[in-house]
C-alpha cells in the first residue's frame, strides 16, 4: 500500500525566505506526482505536476523535483510572501488508480 | 472556462438522514474522482469513474456510500443513514486523461456535518 509522508507538518518563516517542503512515498512505481495548495475552507489548487519520466517542473517562484528511485519530491518556494500561507499537499498516482495524498505541510509566512 | 463545481457547499444532516452530493466536472473530462477529507488530514480516495463506468470503488468506507455517473458527466455521491463519522469535506476532481497521467482539477468541496 502506497504511503505518502510530508515533513514538516507545519512551518513558519519570515517573509522573503526561501523554503523547501518535503514529500516521500513508499512505492516508486508511480505515474506522476502533483503538488497542491489548499486554503482554509477551500478546495485544492494544482501547483505543479511532474510525470514519472521528468525530474523537475518550475512555475514562477515554485520548483518541484522528483527522485522516483528514492521515493522523494521537494517543493522549493523562493522569496516567500504572506500570500503563500496555506497547506501544501503532495499526491502520487499510479495508472488510473486512486491518488494517494500526504497529510500536508501547513505554511505560515510572517510579514 | 468553468472549473469543477460542487453542490451544496455546506450540508448539515441529522444522524440517520440520507444525503446526496453533486459534482459537475469540467466539460469533456473523462475521469472523475471522489475524495473524503477529514479535518487536518489529506484527502482520502473514495471512488473513480472513467466516463460512466465506476472502475474503482475500493475507498468507499461502507455500503452506505454509493456513487454514480450515469451519463458520464455529472456525478452524485449518496450517503445513506448518515453517521457522525461521515462528517468531513467531500471533494470531487476531474481529469482530461483516462490513464492517470493527467492533472486533476478539484472542486471547492462539500462540507458535511452530521449532528
Amino acid at each position: 500500500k502506497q504511503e505518502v509522508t510530508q515533513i514538516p507538518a507545519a512551518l513558519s518563516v519570515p517573509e522573503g525566505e526561501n523554503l523547501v517542503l518535503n514529500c516521500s512515498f513508499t512505492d516508486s512505481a508511480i505515474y506522476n506526482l502533483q503538488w497542491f495548495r489548499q486554503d482554509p475552507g477551500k478546495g485544492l489548487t494544482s501547483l505543479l505536476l511532474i510525470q514519472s519520466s521528468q525530474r523537475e517542473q518550475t512555475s514562477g517562484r515554485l520548483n518541484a523535483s522528483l527522485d522516483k528511485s528514492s521515493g522523494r519530491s521537494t517543493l522549493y518556494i523562493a522569496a516567500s510572501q504572506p500570500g503563500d500561507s496555506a497547506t501544501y499537499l503532495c499526491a502520487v498516482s499510479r495508472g488510473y488508480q486512486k491518488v494517494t495524498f500526504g497529510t500536508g505541510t501547513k505554511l505560515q509566512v510572517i510579514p | 472556462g468553468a472549473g469543477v463545481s460542487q453542490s451544496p457547499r455546506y450540508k448539515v444532516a441529522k444522524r440517520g438522514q440520507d444525503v446526496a452530493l453533486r459534482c459537475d466536472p469540467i466539460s469533456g473530462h473523462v475521469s472523475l474522482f471522489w475524495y473524503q477529507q477529514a479535518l487536518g488530514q489529506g484527502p482520502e480516495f473514495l471512488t473513480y469513474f472513467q466516463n460512466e463506468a465506476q472502475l474503482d470503488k475500493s475507498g468507499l468506507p461502507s455500503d452506505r456510500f454509493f456513487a454514480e455517473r450515469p451519463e458520464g458527466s455529472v456525478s452524485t455521491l449518496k450517503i445513506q443513514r448518515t453517521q457522525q463519522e461521515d462528517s468531513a469535506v467531500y471533494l470531487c476532481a476531474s481529469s482530461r486523461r483516462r490513464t492517470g497521467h493527467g492533472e486533476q482539477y478539484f472542486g471547492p468541496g462539500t462540507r458535511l456535518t452530521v449532528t
Side-chain angles (χ1 to χ4, degrees):
Chain A
K1 179 186 173 185
Q2 177 74 273
E3 293 186 3
V4 181
T5 305
Q6 289 188 246
I7 295 173
L11 182 63
S12 183
V13 300
E15 181 177 2
E17 191 163 300
N18 302 326
L19 58 100
V20 175
L21 307 182
N22 296 292
C23 173
S24 61
F25 46 96
T26 54
D27 185 350
S28 62
I30 64 170
Y31 271 31
N32 64 46
L33 183 146
Q34 198 166 354
W35 280 95
F36 294 89
R37 167 188 175 136
Q38 187 171 34
D39 294 280
K42 302 287 181 61
L44 280 67
T45 300
S46 177
L47 299 173
L48 291 165
L49 172 71
I50 310 176
Q51 301 290 357
S52 61
S53 58
Q54 298 174 322
R55 296 283 293 184
E56 66 176 340
Q57 283 285 333
T58 298
S59 175
R61 295 181 294 107
L62 305 179
N63 175 277
S65 67
L66 173 63
D67 183 343
K68 207 171 71 160
S69 61
S70 67
R72 295 173 189 266
S73 176
T74 60
L75 178 66
Y76 175 83
I77 303 177
S80 58
Q81 303 171 358
D84 295 332
S85 298
T87 296
Y88 291 80
L89 294 156
C90 73
V92 297
S93 73
R94 178 177 180 175
Y96 62 73
Q97 295 167 14
K98 60 185 178 183
V99 174
T100 305
F101 281 83
T103 52
T105 293
K106 187 173 183 179
L107 172 65
Q108 182 181 24
V109 180
I110 303 168
Chain B
V4 179
S5 61
Q6 292 185 246
S7 61
R9 291 294 314 279
Y10 304 92
K11 177 69 178 177
V12 178
K14 291 186 178 178
R15 189 163 62 94
Q17 281 186 331
D18 297 349
V19 298
L21 312 180
R22 178 187 169 108
C23 172
D24 285 79
I26 295 173
S27 179
H29 275 199
V30 171
S31 297
L32 186 146
F33 302 81
W34 282 99
Y35 296 88
Q36 180 189 60
Q37 186 175 25
L39 189 65
Q41 301 295 315
E44 294 277 343
F45 169 85
L46 293 177
T47 187
Y48 163 74
F49 288 87
Q50 188 180 109
N51 296 309
E52 70 280 2
Q54 189 176 20
L55 298 185
D56 189 342
K57 55 181 180 179
S58 62
L60 296 177
S62 77
D63 58 8
R64 296 186 295 105
F65 286 70
F66 173 77
E68 60 183 5
R69 193 187 185 197
E71 297 179 357
S73 55
V74 172
S75 178
T76 303
L77 176 66
K78 298 179 180 178
I79 308 174
Q80 297 177 324
R81 305 180 303 280
T82 53
Q83 303 294 316
Q84 284 192 317
E85 61 263 28
D86 300 335
S87 295
V89 175
Y90 290 85
L91 296 166
C92 173
S94 69
S95 173
R96 186 170 58 86
R97 306 282 292 271
R98 57 169 55 89
T99 60
H101 288 281
E103 186 172 358
Q104 291 195 24
Y105 297 87
F106 280 77
T110 294
R111 181 176 295 277
L112 173 65
T113 303
V114 182
T115 60

